Amino acid sequence: MSGIADVARHAGVSKATASRALTGNGYVAPETRRRVEQAATELGYIASSSAASLVTGRTRNVGVILPGLTRWFFSEVLEGVQSTLLSHGHDLTLYDATPGTEGRSTIFATFLGRKRFDGLIAVCIEPDHHEMERLLALGKPMVSIGSYDMGAASVAVDDTDAARRATEHLIDLGHRRIAFVGGPRTGMTHGDSLRLHAYLGAMSAAGLGDLSRHATSAVSMPGGYGAAVDLLGDSRDRPTAIVGVCDEVAIGAIIAARRLGLLVPSDLSVVGIDDHENAEMFALTTLQQRPREQGCLAARLLLRRLDDPDAEREHIREASRLVVRSSTAAADAAQSAITAGVGRRRD
């Protein structure tokens, strides 16, 4: 295997210059850097990260901690983080901190304390007091993704605005009996709680507070399906529209409606939040967020802080775009009469 001395000899420079060119630690003229990099490529030389760390004090590794790996949002965020870090020559160490697991306890108690990274990207982990103390004790630059305030630079979708606009979209279509589906009765995440409260606020502002209804469920397609089956089963008390806490829940509600023989959107309008990868397949109207771009932004913010520890902590809030597909439509006259409390109920 070729060493740094071989690369230096092949490029016609000193070992110190070759080292600076390949580690980025110190100035090297662009043409010289290009010549050294070409020599390294031709010789198949790969710089030792441990050796570079001794020189620079940097691992060129970033820790990423998530509350799970299976949901679409987290995998999209991870793709964005990884693509940005790789393009800047950084490795990535992934920590799966699923809430309530022994693995999460071990990560906070042991693995993070080893500090095998230059900085940390925390994705929607919503740490408790003890976990937050552990994170602060690391003394490492950190960027968070999600609405929870961790006192660090952050990137998030505006959950409040997204849920408010989703609800107002249905109200503008003439719906009055609008239910919010998703989120457990207790232990709701901060982002999902913001979405629920924005729905309640929009209903109240439209004079529909008395018709507000929250059907609790797991935040998943099966969870949305089960909650919607219960919600839609009684034709005398059935909502004409549903706001899903996220697209997975909204898609579950669409499947439930179809199983019950209801037509979407003529019998039931459904709107979600996120623009999940399956949203278009179900023709779901939704408020779009872009998790992959959030991951890219978070990685760039962290790299900036690594280069300049005194850089201002930026807080980026992504506005959602309403994507109207065919899961929502205007409420018909009969449905409007039911929700207004006049006329005859239709079974």
Side-chain angles (χ1 to χ4, degrees):
M1 180 178 293
S2 298
I4 189 67
D6 301 307
V7 174
R9 192 162 43 248
H10 193 65
V13 299
S14 68
K15 285 176 59 176
T17 298
S19 177
R20 289 199 305 273
L22 295 175
T23 65
N25 185 41
Y27 175 77
V28 176
E31 176 57 29
T32 302
R33 185 184 302 278
R34 185 198 63 76
R35 197 164 71 248
V36 171
E37 290 174 345
Q38 182 177 343
T41 300
E42 292 174 355
L43 295 176
Y45 172 77
I46 299 175
S48 167
S49 59
S50 57
S53 178
L54 290 175
V55 175
T56 65
R58 298 264 293 268
T59 66
R60 298 191 71 80
N61 183 62
V62 168
V64 179
I65 181 168
L66 307 98
L69 301 176
T70 57
R71 288 190 62 184
W72 161 82
F73 177 85
F74 299 134
S75 63
E76 286 281 306
V77 165
L78 187 57
E79 281 190 17
V81 169
Q82 177 175 267
S83 66
T84 300
L85 292 179
L86 290 179
S87 69
H88 287 79
H90 282 67
D91 294 325
L92 177 154
T93 298
L94 182 63
Y95 300 97
D96 178 2
T98 301
T101 63
E102 185 177 343
R104 180 173 176 124
S105 299
T106 302
I107 286 169
F108 277 94
T110 305
F111 287 94
L112 293 181
R114 293 174 180 171
K115 301 182 181 180
R116 294 175 175 171
F117 44 78
D118 297 321
L120 186 68
I121 296 175
V123 186
C124 303
I125 60 169
E126 300 193 6
D128 61 26
H129 178 71
H130 177 70
E131 292 171 343
M132 193 67 190
E133 285 185 336
R134 291 279 185 174
L135 290 173
L136 293 175
L138 295 174
K140 297 284 188 178
M142 182 169 63
V143 174
S144 67
I145 296 178
S147 299
Y148 189 85
D149 183 6
M150 295 179 61
S154 63
V155 178
V157 69
D158 190 334
D159 290 297
T160 297
D161 179 69
R164 175 185 59 79
R165 291 172 59 205
T167 308
E168 289 175 349
H169 171 66
L170 296 173
I171 293 172
D172 290 344
L173 289 172
H175 294 279
R176 299 294 177 265
R177 195 177 293 274
I178 304 168
F180 186 92
V181 178
R185 194 172 303 279
T186 59
M188 185 179 290
T189 67
H190 184 69
D192 291 347
S193 179
L194 289 176
R195 294 180 183 187
L196 171 60
H197 283 93
Y199 153 80
L200 294 172
M203 291 289 283
S204 179
L208 303 173
D210 291 343
L211 296 175
S212 299
R213 190 172 180 182
H214 177 207
T216 61
S217 78
V219 182
S220 64
M221 288 187 196
Y225 173 84
V229 166
D230 294 337
L231 188 64
L232 302 173
D234 185 353
S235 61
R236 296 168 300 177
D237 193 33
R238 177 186 296 153
T240 66
I242 284 174
V243 176
V245 70
C246 65
D247 283 356
E248 289 103 322
V249 166
I251 290 170
I254 289 175
I255 295 171
R258 291 174 178 174
R259 294 282 178 87
L260 292 171
L262 300 175
L263 299 177
V264 176
S266 56
D267 294 321
L268 178 75
S269 285
V270 181
V271 62
I273 302 172
D274 288 342
D275 203 20
H276 185 280
E277 60 183 353
N278 292 332
E280 186 171 5
M281 180 169 62
F282 284 89
L284 178 65
T285 294
T286 186
L287 272 293
Q288 182 186 70
Q289 70 167 319
R290 302 172 299 163
R292 193 177 191 281
E293 284 71 15
Q294 290 180 39
C296 292
L297 276 172
R300 288 198 291 269
L301 286 181
L302 184 63
L303 292 173
R304 192 177 307 157
R305 291 192 62 77
L306 291 177
D307 290 335
D308 181 8
D310 297 324
E312 182 181 355
R313 291 177 178 173
E314 297 182 55
H315 300 282
I316 299 173
R317 292 295 175 266
E318 179 188 19
S320 298
R321 180 172 68 91
L322 176 63
V323 181
V324 179
R325 298 190 177 102
S326 58
S327 68
T328 54
D332 65 30
Q335 288 174 319
S336 297
I338 290 173
T339 60
V342 297
R344 183 174 58 86
R345 292 186 183 275
R346 182 180 67 171
D347 292 340

